[in-house]
Amino acid sequence: QVQLVESGGGSVQSGGSLRLSCAASELTYSSYYMAWFRQAPGKQREGVAVIDRDGIPTYADSVRGRFTISQDNAKNTLYLHMNNLKPDDTAMYYCAAGRVAWLRPVGYNNWGQGTQVTVSS
């Protein structure tokens, strides 16, 4: 079981930026696909971005052009750079590792505890 620990969340105003980090307990990127999900109160968990083993990202339509997923294999760390944040981006953000490379939660069996992002208007 891979241990994932997110950090970097916080409160920002609309238009601001944050960088989320996800530290993995072991080498993950050769064995797993890594992704970011988010869940707002009363809503289902949704995929934000996933990166495959070749470093090719896929983004949800709602964040494309504003968010960037990246990974530092030497540090076993996954990042999510978030720019031009909007109030609708407010959610708990989760890092996940799995054997799939899509934006649905099914198939990801390793999850972090989440980090809260709050965007005020």
Coordinates of all heavy atoms in Angstrom, one line a residue, residues 6-10 12 16-22 36 68-70 72 75 77-83 85 115 117:
E6 N -0.8 14.8 1.2 CA -0.9 16.0 0.4 C -0.6 17.2 1.3 O -0.8 17.1 2.6 CB -2.4 16.2 -0.1 CG -2.9 15.1 -1.0 CD -3.7 14.1 -0.2 OE1 -3.4 13.9 1.0 OE2 -4.5 13.4 -0.9
S7 N -0.2 18.3 0.7 CA 0.0 19.5 1.4 C -0.1 20.7 0.5 O -0.2 20.5 -0.8 CB 1.4 19.6 2.1 OG 2.4 19.5 1.1
G8 N -0.2 21.9 1.0 CA -0.2 23.1 0.1 C -1.6 23.8 0.0 O -1.7 24.8 -0.7
G9 N -2.6 23.2 0.6 CA -3.9 23.8 0.5 C -4.0 25.1 1.3 O -3.1 25.4 2.1
G10 N -5.0 25.8 1.1 CA -5.2 27.1 1.9 C -6.4 27.9 1.4 O -7.2 27.4 0.6
V12 N -7.5 31.4 -0.6 CA -7.0 32.4 -1.5 C -8.2 33.2 -2.1 O -9.4 32.6 -2.0 CB -6.2 31.9 -2.6 CG1 -4.9 31.2 -2.1 CG2 -7.0 30.9 -3.5
G16 N -6.3 34.0 -7.6 CA -5.1 33.6 -6.9 C -4.5 32.3 -7.4 O -5.1 31.6 -8.2
S17 N -3.4 31.9 -6.8 CA -2.7 30.6 -7.2 C -2.3 29.8 -5.9 O -2.1 30.4 -4.8 CB -1.5 30.9 -8.0 OG -1.8 31.6 -9.2
L18 N -2.3 28.5 -6.1 CA -1.7 27.6 -5.1 C -1.0 26.5 -5.8 O -1.3 26.2 -6.9 CB -2.9 27.0 -4.2 CG -3.5 27.9 -3.2 CD1 -4.8 27.2 -2.6 CD2 -2.6 28.3 -2.1
R19 N -0.1 25.9 -5.0 CA 0.6 24.7 -5.5 C 0.4 23.6 -4.5 O 0.8 23.7 -3.3 CB 2.1 24.9 -5.7 CG 2.7 23.7 -6.4 CD 4.2 23.8 -6.5 NE 4.9 23.6 -5.3 CZ 6.2 23.4 -5.1 NH1 7.0 23.3 -6.2 NH2 6.7 23.2 -4.0
L20 N -0.3 22.5 -4.9 CA -0.4 21.4 -4.0 C 0.7 20.4 -4.3 O 1.2 20.2 -5.4 CB -1.8 20.7 -4.3 CG -3.0 21.6 -4.2 CD1 -4.3 20.7 -4.4 CD2 -3.1 22.3 -2.9
S21 N 1.1 19.7 -3.2 CA 2.1 18.7 -3.3 C 1.6 17.3 -2.7 O 0.7 17.3 -1.8 CB 3.4 19.1 -2.5 OG 3.9 20.2 -3.0
C22 N 2.1 16.2 -3.3 CA 1.7 14.9 -2.8 C 3.0 14.1 -2.7 O 3.5 13.7 -3.7 CB 0.7 14.3 -3.7 SG 0.3 12.5 -3.4
W36 N -5.0 13.7 -9.4 CA -5.6 14.6 -8.4 C -7.1 14.6 -8.6 O -7.6 14.7 -9.7 CB -5.1 16.1 -8.6 CG -3.7 16.3 -8.2 CD1 -2.6 16.3 -8.9 CD2 -3.3 16.5 -6.8 NE1 -1.5 16.6 -8.2 CE2 -1.9 16.7 -6.9 CE3 -3.9 16.6 -5.6 CZ2 -1.1 16.9 -5.7 CZ3 -3.1 16.8 -4.5 CH2 -1.8 17.0 -4.5
T68 N -2.0 22.8 -13.7 CA -0.9 22.0 -14.3 C -0.5 20.9 -13.4 O -0.1 21.2 -12.2 CB 0.3 22.8 -14.7 OG1 -0.1 23.9 -15.6 CG2 1.4 22.0 -15.4
I69 N -0.5 19.6 -13.8 CA 0.0 18.5 -13.0 C 1.4 18.2 -13.5 O 1.7 18.2 -14.6 CB -1.0 17.3 -13.2 CG1 -0.6 16.2 -12.2 CG2 -1.0 16.8 -14.6 CD1 -1.6 15.0 -12.2
S70 N 2.2 17.9 -12.5 CA 3.6 17.5 -12.8 C 4.1 16.6 -11.7 O 3.5 16.4 -10.6 CB 4.5 18.8 -12.9 OG 4.5 19.4 -11.6
D72 N 7.9 15.0 -9.8 CA 9.3 15.0 -9.6 C 9.7 13.6 -9.1 O 9.5 13.2 -7.9 CB 9.8 16.0 -8.5 CG 11.3 16.1 -8.4 OD1 12.0 15.1 -8.7 OD2 11.8 17.2 -8.0
K75 N 12.0 13.0 -6.2 CA 11.5 13.3 -4.8 C 10.2 12.5 -4.5 O 9.6 12.7 -3.5 CB 11.2 14.8 -4.7 CG 12.4 15.7 -4.8 CD 12.0 17.1 -4.7 CE 13.2 18.0 -4.7 NZ 12.8 19.5 -4.6
T77 N 7.3 12.9 -5.6 CA 6.3 13.9 -5.3 C 5.5 14.3 -6.5 O 6.1 14.6 -7.6 CB 7.0 15.2 -4.7 OG1 7.7 14.8 -3.5 CG2 6.0 16.2 -4.3
L78 N 4.3 14.5 -6.4 CA 3.3 14.9 -7.4 C 2.9 16.3 -7.1 O 2.7 16.6 -5.9 CB 2.1 14.0 -7.5 CG 1.0 14.2 -8.5 CD1 1.5 13.9 -9.9 CD2 -0.2 13.5 -8.1
Y79 N 2.7 17.1 -8.1 CA 2.3 18.5 -7.8 C 1.0 18.8 -8.6 O 0.7 18.2 -9.7 CB 3.4 19.5 -8.3 CG 4.7 19.3 -7.5 CD1 5.8 18.6 -8.1 CD2 4.9 19.8 -6.2 CE1 6.9 18.5 -7.4 CE2 6.1 19.6 -5.6 CZ 7.1 19.0 -6.2 OH 8.3 18.8 -5.5
L80 N 0.3 19.9 -8.1 CA -0.8 20.5 -8.9 C -0.6 22.0 -8.8 O -0.9 22.5 -7.7 CB -2.1 20.0 -8.4 CG -3.3 20.5 -9.2 CD1 -3.3 19.8 -10.6 CD2 -4.7 20.2 -8.5
H81 N -0.3 22.6 -9.9 CA -0.2 24.0 -9.9 C -1.5 24.6 -10.3 O -2.0 24.3 -11.4 CB 0.9 24.5 -10.8 CG 2.3 24.0 -10.5 ND1 3.3 24.7 -9.9 CD2 2.8 22.7 -10.7 CE1 4.4 24.0 -9.7 NE2 4.1 22.8 -10.2
M82 N -2.1 25.4 -9.5 CA -3.4 26.0 -9.8 C -3.4 27.5 -9.9 O -3.0 28.2 -8.9 CB -4.4 25.6 -8.6 CG -4.4 24.1 -8.4 SD -5.7 23.6 -7.1 CE -5.0 24.4 -5.7
N83 N -3.7 28.0 -11.1 CA -3.7 29.4 -11.3 C -5.1 29.9 -11.6 O -6.0 29.1 -12.0 CB -2.8 29.7 -12.5 CG -1.4 29.4 -12.3 OD1 -0.9 29.7 -11.2 ND2 -0.7 28.9 -13.3
L85 N -7.6 30.8 -9.8 CA -8.6 30.0 -9.0 C -9.9 30.7 -9.0 O -10.0 32.0 -8.9 CB -8.0 29.8 -7.6 CG -7.0 28.6 -7.6 CD1 -6.2 28.7 -6.3 CD2 -7.7 27.3 -7.7
T115 N -6.3 17.8 1.2 CA -5.9 19.1 1.6 C -7.0 20.1 1.1 O -7.4 20.0 0.0 CB -4.5 19.5 1.1 OG1 -4.1 20.7 1.7 CG2 -4.4 19.5 -0.4
V117 N -8.8 23.4 -0.2 CA -8.6 24.6 -0.9 C -9.9 25.4 -0.9 O -11.0 24.9 -1.2 CB -8.3 24.3 -2.4 CG1 -8.3 25.6 -3.2 CG2 -6.9 23.6 -2.5

